[in-house]
Amino acid sequence: MKLFDLKGRVAIVTGGNGGIGLGMARGLAGAGATILVAGRSKAKGERAVQELKALGAESAFLAADVTKEAECRALVASTVDRFGRLDILVNNAGTNDRKKPEAYALAEWHALIDANLTSAYACSVAAYPAMQKAKAGKIINIGSMTSIFGVPFAAPYAAAKGGVVQLTKSLATSWAKDNIQVNAVLPGWIDTDLTKQARIQVEGLHDRVVARTPAGRWGLPADFAGVAVFLASPASDFVTGASIAVDGGYSSQG
Ligand code: NDP
């Protein structure tokens, strides 16, 4: 058995059409996996698929809004129909809306919880029957530094990302008997579309992140290729319920 070999494995990466998701998808593709890129934007999705194919991977885009349970189920069903199996699910899709806690309408709160937490639950539950039948599966959820720390401008996002860690542990303990490993990755501050806006909105953010991060830089989507391969491959078969920070040391700094 090759520890990091993903040849013949099929992965769904939600939000794999950009940012960290595409960084993870590139890693999985490089290790031999077939990648189903899921997202709402077809144009971004088609671009990502072309890029993954250029790396030598089989890849396809499926349009899905993962805040909708039926679309999560359809995503898994189409993947299994098309490629015959589902080995890896990366619950990466997420979004943020920054304001003071008291400024959110309740509908905005629900939308952020749905996008960042309920989506991971719905896709995982949709994937479970195929993984249970195969007696093997890898689920990778994406948390955040707000899974650990409070921030004054992202209460619903932080509540959701804290929930991702507990969801990860709960699914891990429940599905370990099925040989399904469920882990979370907690990114530090990463240069993507999501944070471009934050750097404009939050004065001094760029420099504060560089100063606070022991590695002395913002993260890049490419920093997530290795952890994705590790958590998707036989190398992590006895790792489950863990949350791994990929943050250049941000969360280790007092
Ligand atoms: P991006 O905005 O670059 O990527 C997010 C992707 O998620 C997009 O490609 C988007 O695709 C997709 N997406 C969003 N909502 C939905 C939805 N409802 N259904 C399907 N797809 C959706 O952000 P990042 O790459 O930065 O973020 C990826 C993950 O990492 C998120 O969970 C984020 O919270 C987390 N994270 C990011 C950090 C950072 O510093 N960048 C730090 C900590 C965590 P589309 O445009 O097609 O909707």
Side-chain angles (χ1 to χ4, degrees):
M1 177 175 62
K2 290 189 187 149
L3 277 181
F4 299 103
D5 189 5
L6 297 179
K7 279 191 205 74
R9 307 285 167 98
V10 174
I12 293 175
V13 183
T14 72
N17 53 356
I20 291 171
L22 182 53
M24 289 188 144
R26 287 188 196 109
L28 299 175
T34 293
I35 315 290
L36 256 289
V37 172
R40 294 169 301 185
S41 160
K42 192 174 177 207
K44 274 167 59 184
E46 298 295 356
R47 273 200 302 277
V49 164
Q50 289 318 312
E51 206 188 299
L52 297 171
K53 284 185 172 168
L55 293 174
E58 199 169 344
S59 182
F61 173 72
L62 286 171
D65 179 346
V66 293
T67 62
K68 299 192 164 61
E69 185 188 12
E71 297 194 23
C72 295
R73 290 192 184 284
L75 176 61
V76 170
S78 316
T79 304
V80 174
D81 273 359
R82 184 159 181 172
F83 294 110
R85 55 192 292 155
L86 172 62
D87 304 281
I88 302 154
L89 169 66
V90 182
N91 287 313
N92 161 80
T95 188
N96 199 359
D97 181 11
R98 293 170 197 86
K99 40 188 154 173
K100 291 177 186 164
E102 63 274 24
Y104 293 93
L106 198 58
E108 294 174 317
W109 164 275
H110 284 304
L112 285 165
I113 299 292
D114 282 353
N116 292 293
L117 176 59
T118 313
S119 60
Y121 171 71
C123 287
S124 298
V125 168
Y128 179 59
M131 292 182 172
Q132 185 188 34
K133 200 168 156 207
K135 296 187 173 53
K138 299 280 188 179
I139 298 178
I140 304 169
N141 296 322
I142 310 303
S144 155
M145 288 298 100
T146 66
S147 299
I148 310 170
F149 302 116
V151 282
F153 49 82
Y157 179 80
K161 292 299 192 181
V164 165
V165 169
Q166 295 306 327
L167 173 67
T168 298
K169 291 179 185 173
S170 299
L171 298 182
T173 54
S174 186
W175 296 346
K177 66 179 185 333
D178 301 304
N179 190 30
I180 298 169
Q181 288 81 48
V182 188
N183 292 290
V185 171
L186 312 185
W189 283 94
I190 315 303
D191 185 10
T192 67
D193 287 351
L194 188 72
T195 49
K196 274 192 181 70
Q197 201 54 25
R199 278 192 267 185
I200 296 164
Q201 286 172 342
V202 185
E203 208 188 316
L205 179 67
H206 177 86
D207 293 342
R208 275 210 309 281
V209 168
V210 172
R212 151 100 204 206
T213 304
R217 65 170 175 90
W218 281 61
L220 299 169
D223 290 315
F224 292 83
V227 74
V229 172
F230 171 62
L231 291 176
S233 70
S236 61
D237 279 353
F238 201 55
V239 180
T240 198
S243 292
I244 301 178
V246 178
D247 65 351
Y250 186 97
S251 58
S252 299
Q253 181 100 295

